[in-house]
Amino acid sequence: MPRGIITSSFRGREGTEYVIFDGEKYYRAVSRERFRTGDSVELRDGKLFSLSESVRPKVKERFLSGLKVDLELPDEIAFLRGNFEVLWKELAFLKVTGETPQVFYDNDADGIIAALLIKKALGLSDRAFSTISHWTLREAQIWLSDAPLYLLLDVGSDWRDRPGLFLLSSYGPTFVVDHHYAEKQHGFGVVINPALHSPELSKYNTATLVSYLVKSWVEKPEWGRIAAAGDKSSVIEWGEEDRKKALALEMSQAIRADLRLAEQILETDLWKTYYELFRMKVEMALENAEMEEKEINGKRALIVKLSYTPNYPHKGKIASCLMDERGYDIVIVTDAEKSFRYTVTMRGKGDLLSMVKNLGAAEYWGHPNAVSLSTTEPERVIQQILERL
């Protein structure tokens, strides 16, 4: 009498045909009773019976015992193999069972493409995905579904424990794939983030890390280039058009967080329209901004004080755009003076991360050449940064 979990179902004239997986073999049975994917059942004399006790742990253990891990990792992040393998096995099991995880992703090109790779690899619908932010995790304002696994992409490696992360991990297995630097690893879930070992390894952006995870199921090298261009990663070679597509992708998702639209932008010429919209939004943001150029120790710096804080482009994108077009060594962009919470964002050619570590900022995050920090005294922070150039 096989015991297993429901992995899929098909409506027929005689009832619903269910597929049952016991960890090694599949079985089929027709029943007029209603079962859901993931339900524990027993097959007796061709009939299905619901089980009061879940057999999922035993099915999973049996499946994983015969599973061969298929992963190729670069040598410099091979120390993360253990965490990679744990998540890879979890994803492999979800592919077999047809269960749906809950996936949260950051709304930039890197996070969006990482989410799309997971979506394709597991064959998920858009309902499994939602955007999330650093601030959402801080406030624990998260809508949770009953899922076998929770996955955060391009966000979640915070330098202090977040209530949102604690909430997620208390509901079920929680995984973070990220590349943002943090002073310490939080105590919740399994984290795949090379930057926690060394800030320089943040060059392995989230979409690149996810591509290693799902390579045996889906390969999208062109998407990888666009994600790398969005974060200016040096791991993958990318070109000017890749960069424009990344900005177009972010622009579209700032209007409507829709993974189907994201894939359309990546696969068609629709990106051109959204890139032009991005350029217009940058010009609007800079129209009434205060801009001051300085030269310090042979380095060209630009300080931008926005008259308002746009929803998109974010300050980091404005700084990157100005660097690309005008060749500054560092660009610092800050909120309007009337803003309740000040965020100072900078992009530069040096190790900015080391520069801000001793500023006494309440919070900071990012990569060696791209850092944001929160402060109540933006003028003082900007002056201290300039003194360190």
Side-chain angles (χ1 to χ4, degrees):
M1 293 181 290
R3 290 185 166 195
I5 57 177
I6 302 290
T7 62
S8 59
S9 59
F10 311 89
R11 282 283 177 87
R13 290 182 180 179
E14 303 301 320
T16 302
E17 181 179 352
Y18 292 99
V19 178
I20 306 100
F21 182 59
D22 71 355
E24 293 178 335
K25 298 178 182 179
Y26 289 95
Y27 302 86
R28 293 177 182 271
V30 176
S31 177
R32 291 193 179 278
E33 288 192 49
R34 298 297 298 273
F35 298 97
R36 299 177 303 172
T37 299
D39 280 355
S40 295
V41 294
E42 182 176 65
L43 184 59
R44 278 185 255 147
D45 300 323
K47 294 183 179 180
L48 279 180
F49 296 89
S50 181
L51 294 174
S52 57
E53 184 179 352
S54 174
V55 297
R56 188 180 189 274
K58 290 182 179 179
V59 170
K60 184 176 180 181
E61 182 182 357
R62 190 179 298 126
F63 171 74
L64 294 182
S65 67
L67 185 66
K68 182 182 178 181
V69 177
D70 184 11
L71 278 175
E72 294 180 10
L73 300 176
D75 289 343
E76 60 183 342
I77 62 168
F79 64 91
L80 286 169
R81 177 171 292 277
N83 287 3
F84 266 101
E85 289 186 357
V86 170
L87 179 53
W88 189 88
K89 288 177 180 179
E90 292 283 351
L91 297 180
F93 187 61
L94 292 181
K95 275 185 69 67
V96 169
T97 63
E99 295 171 294
T100 301
Q102 189 169 5
V103 185
F104 301 94
Y105 64 97
D106 187 32
N107 207 13
D108 67 359
D110 188 26
I112 296 162
I113 290 173
L116 281 171
L117 288 171
I118 293 291
K119 180 185 176 184
K120 278 201 168 295
L122 300 187
L124 301 173
S125 71
D126 282 7
R127 291 193 301 273
F129 298 85
S130 54
T131 57
I132 198 168
S133 72
H134 175 80
W135 305 108
T136 304
L137 287 173
R138 187 184 72 171
E139 301 301 326
Q141 296 175 343
I142 304 171
W143 177 83
L144 287 171
S145 64
D146 184 17
L149 181 146
Y150 301 96
L151 177 61
L152 292 96
L153 301 172
D154 205 37
V155 67
S157 293
D158 212 298
W159 65 315
R160 56 178 64 181
D161 292 335
R162 287 302 194 200
L165 288 166
F166 173 75
L167 180 65
L168 279 173
S169 62
S170 66
Y171 269 74
T174 302
F175 292 82
V176 172
V177 184
D178 195 10
H179 68 133
H180 294 88
Y181 172 76
E183 286 191 339
K184 69 180 182 70
Q185 184 172 322
H186 59 69
F188 311 126
V190 176
V191 181
I192 296 174
N193 183 350
L196 294 177
H197 177 77
S198 172
E200 292 73 24
L201 293 179
S202 65
K203 63 185 178 181
Y204 286 93
N205 61 317
T206 303
T208 297
L209 297 172
V210 170
S211 73
Y212 299 145
L213 273 170
V214 303
K215 188 176 181 180
S216 59
W217 304 314
V218 60
E219 288 192 71
K220 282 287 187 178
E222 65 279 11
W223 289 6
R225 290 197 306 271
I226 294 167
D231 277 1
K232 296 189 175 180
S233 168
S234 60
V235 172
I236 298 173
E237 288 189 13
W238 48 270
E240 184 179 349
E241 186 171 296
D242 296 318
R243 175 70 178 167
K244 289 180 178 178
K245 286 181 178 179
L247 295 170
L249 181 62
E250 293 174 5
M251 184 72 255
S252 73
Q253 298 300 288
I255 297 171
R256 188 173 85 242
D258 184 336
L259 290 180
R260 284 170 294 181
L261 173 61
E263 191 167 351
Q264 189 178 8
I265 286 169
L266 292 172
E267 301 289 351
T268 70
D269 282 343
L270 186 60
W271 68 269
K272 295 178 181 178
T273 300
Y274 282 96
Y275 177 70
E276 288 306 316
L277 183 58
F278 165 78
R279 292 292 313 145
M280 291 171 63
K281 294 280 281 184
V282 170
E283 290 173 11
M284 288 171 61
L286 294 176
E287 206 167 56
N288 296 309
E290 295 179 32
M291 292 194 277
E292 182 183 6
E293 291 188 31
K294 291 180 178 290
E295 186 162 335
I296 303 169
N297 296 326
K299 295 180 180 179
R300 293 181 64 222
L302 177 68
I303 297 93
V304 180
K305 298 176 184 177
L306 299 177
S307 58
Y308 72 101
T309 304
N311 179 48
Y312 191 84
H314 305 308
K315 293 182 287 297
K317 296 303 173 185
I318 294 172
S320 292
C321 191
L322 289 168
M323 276 193 70
D324 291 344
E325 294 182 356
R326 306 185 190 182
Y328 292 102
D329 294 293
I330 182 171
V331 177
I332 303 171
V333 182
T334 188
D335 292 317
E337 291 292 335
K338 62 184 179 181
S339 296
F340 174 73
R341 171 175 52 81
Y342 297 97
T343 305
V344 177
T345 297
M346 62 200 85
R347 299 291 184 268
K349 297 175 182 178
D351 185 358
L352 304 179
L353 207 50
S354 297
M355 202 179 293
V356 303
K357 280 184 178 181
N358 300 315
L359 289 183
E363 297 176 89
Y364 62 91
W365 57 95
H367 319 289
N369 61 353
V371 181
S372 294
L373 57 87
S374 289
T375 180
T376 56
E377 301 177 90
E379 294 287 347
R380 180 184 63 81
V381 166
I382 291 171
Q383 186 57 41
Q384 288 180 322
I385 291 167
L386 295 175
E387 289 172 357
R388 286 163 169 77
L389 285 180

